Amino acid sequence: MTSLTTIRMATLTINNTTTRIKLPFHSIKTPPPFFTKLPIRPLTVRPNSLSESSVSLPVGPVDAAEEEVDDPTAELSYLDPETDPESVTEWELDFCSRPILDIRGKKIWELVACDSSLSLQYTKYFPNNVINSVTLKDAIVSICDELDVPIPDKIRFFRSQMQTIITRACKELGIKPIPSKRCLSLLLWLEERYETVYKRHPGFQKGSKPLLALDNPFPMDLPDTLYGEKWAFVQLPFSDVKKELETLEKSFAFGATLDLDLLGIEIDDNTLIPGLAVASSRARPLAAWMNGLEVCSVEADLARANLVLSVGISTRYVYASYKKSPVTTSEAEAWEAAKKTSGGLHFLAIQDSLDSDDCVGFWLLLDLPPSPV
């Protein structure tokens, strides 16, 4: 296990306990481009199943050879033939309006579902007057029937405004709904669909704002169960981060990883990845509590001299604070700058002490811009 304490960190405080370490950000190297193009697989296209009078706009004739790739009104239904259908047990799902108007001048809604590996991909348009939990439940069943996959065990979703509808539909099917911004494959796919599908749709409305904007509420006080005793900014070479993730997967420790290859993340092994190390005499219970929270990101709030922990969909906590000074502000700015250098990649590590060689919990995190839709 790589020791985080070989890295010098900043003098900062949590729960009135101070640890002094200094962070050498000058040694960070700029990595190659962070995101490559999201992997696109061959897609089976089915005709719009909705009445043309309800959501479709007239479009010109489409060459049959190009229809599968070029028709922005087409819906997708795809399961990788090399994937065992029984292994697709967790989905990521979005059910929301799009910046597209139908012939009635109403926004079209769309269901987008995938798994984290994009082995399953499914999209379906809906008119705005059928948006309810029954429609969604029936659509989930249809996906399973059409692609011959089982009802999933879990479905992650990232819009708080749709929580009631999605939760009700899931529970009626015995699915565990998980509100979480860790829907990274889905979010990147939506970003790509905005450029390659929605903007090319004949009903696209340029400048249209998302109907269901994502929440970014003011952070709350941290629950007692999540308190650590010491914390520090740290950084690890990307090669060592990968070793931590391998250890996590082998030991079934607390934490979460990301499929970096699928996400198209390309970073040089020597690039320093910023993180936050938290030490506690009750590290294992702390990591266990943290493990159930769908940890999304950690950010430094320079104006308020604190760190903000984002979990779930829209829950934000004041995770730690520090005494504001030119030195600590500079260190926090450097940590945020390091995140940008690594394309938003960062981590949270929980240890018994900041001198420990082992992590009790390790979460790989990624800042992403909000969905364009």
Side-chain angles (χ1 to χ4, degrees):
M1 186 76 72
T2 303
S3 174
L4 296 176
T5 59
T6 59
I7 301 163
R8 295 175 296 160
M9 299 170 270
T11 304
L12 297 168
T13 307
I14 184 169
N15 285 5
N16 298 319
T17 306
T18 302
T19 179
R20 181 173 184 78
I21 312 175
K22 197 170 182 179
L23 189 60
F25 280 106
H26 61 274
S27 61
I28 292 180
K29 298 179 181 178
T30 302
F34 184 58
F35 285 119
T36 57
K37 188 174 178 61
L38 188 67
I40 302 300
R41 305 169 185 271
L43 297 166
T44 302
V45 181
R46 54 188 165 80
N48 254 317
S49 58
L50 294 169
S51 165
E52 183 173 320
S53 63
S54 63
V55 299
S56 300
L57 288 172
V59 294
V62 179
D63 185 276
E66 298 179 355
E67 179 177 2
E68 184 168 317
V69 175
D70 293 335
D71 183 6
T73 68
E75 295 172 326
L76 311 179
S77 181
Y78 171 77
L79 180 67
D80 187 334
E82 297 183 0
T83 297
D84 177 6
E86 297 296 323
S87 69
V88 185
T89 59
E90 297 187 14
W91 295 6
E92 299 175 6
L93 181 147
D94 186 39
F95 192 35
C96 190
S97 66
R98 300 298 182 229
I100 301 169
L101 300 185
D102 60 23
I103 59 174
R104 303 170 301 147
K106 304 295 184 181
K107 275 193 173 182
I108 294 174
W109 282 60
E110 183 186 41
L111 170 64
V112 174
C114 65
D115 67 333
S116 62
S117 69
L118 291 178
S119 296
L120 180 149
Q121 299 176 11
Y122 189 96
T123 70
K124 184 178 177 64
Y125 291 121
F126 292 88
N128 70 335
N129 57 359
V130 298
I131 306 306
N132 54 54
S133 62
V134 175
T135 296
L136 179 57
K137 181 189 73 172
D138 292 344
I140 292 172
V141 172
S142 295
I143 295 173
C144 296
D145 290 344
E146 189 171 329
L147 296 177
D148 196 25
V149 295
I151 294 290
D153 297 330
K154 302 175 182 178
I155 288 182
R156 284 179 171 80
F157 61 96
F158 64 89
R159 295 188 199 272
S160 60
Q161 299 93 335
M162 295 303 295
Q163 186 159 356
T164 299
I165 287 178
I166 294 175
T167 298
R168 186 172 298 164
C170 286
K171 289 189 174 179
E172 289 185 9
L173 294 171
I175 301 168
K176 182 179 180 180
I178 302 178
S180 174
K181 286 183 180 177
R182 289 186 71 93
C183 301
L184 299 184
S185 296
L186 175 62
L187 286 166
L188 290 174
W189 189 22
L190 286 174
E191 183 178 330
E192 187 206 27
R193 283 182 63 76
Y194 181 78
E195 296 295 331
T196 62
V197 177
Y198 307 142
K199 289 175 75 170
R200 295 178 54 249
H201 195 287
F204 176 69
Q205 297 295 297
K206 185 177 180 179
S208 176
K209 295 183 178 179
L211 179 63
L212 303 179
L214 299 183
D215 292 336
N216 195 33
F218 195 78
M220 305 180 294
D221 291 338
L222 191 70
D224 291 344
T225 52
L226 300 182
Y227 271 114
E229 294 159 11
K230 296 181 180 180
W231 69 273
F233 287 140
V234 297
Q235 56 186 2
L236 281 176
F238 186 56
S239 57
D240 289 337
V241 170
K242 289 190 291 186
K243 291 177 183 177
E244 291 290 342
L245 296 176
E246 290 172 1
T247 301
L248 169 67
E249 293 175 347
K250 291 177 181 177
S251 64
F252 300 100
F254 298 115
T257 184
L258 299 171
D259 190 332
L260 302 180
D261 291 335
L262 175 75
L263 296 175
I265 295 175
E266 296 182 354
I267 299 180
D268 184 87
D269 279 349
N270 295 322
T271 299
L272 294 172
I273 307 301
L276 188 72
V278 176
S280 173
S281 58
R282 42 183 287 280
R284 189 160 294 278
L286 174 60
W289 277 103
M290 195 72 73
N291 208 46
L293 292 182
E294 292 290 314
V295 179
C296 302
S297 66
V298 177
E299 62 183 292
D301 185 335
L302 304 178
R304 295 180 176 84
N306 59 36
L307 301 183
V308 177
L309 174 71
S310 295
V311 304
I313 291 181
S314 58
T315 301
R316 303 172 76 230
Y317 294 120
V318 178
Y319 196 42
S321 59
Y322 54 91
K323 185 175 181 179
K324 192 171 184 179
S325 71
V327 173
T328 57
T329 297
S330 176
E331 291 166 346
E333 287 175 340
W335 190 74
E336 281 294 327
K339 279 206 298 178
K340 290 183 174 62
T341 299
S342 62
L345 201 65
H346 58 296
F347 62 86
L348 171 66
I350 293 179
Q351 301 175 280
D352 293 310
S353 77
L354 292 177
D355 296 324
S356 173
D357 288 339
D358 297 320
C359 293
V360 177
F362 191 92
W363 288 261
L364 188 60
L365 310 174
L366 180 65
D367 287 341
L368 278 179
S371 170
V373 294

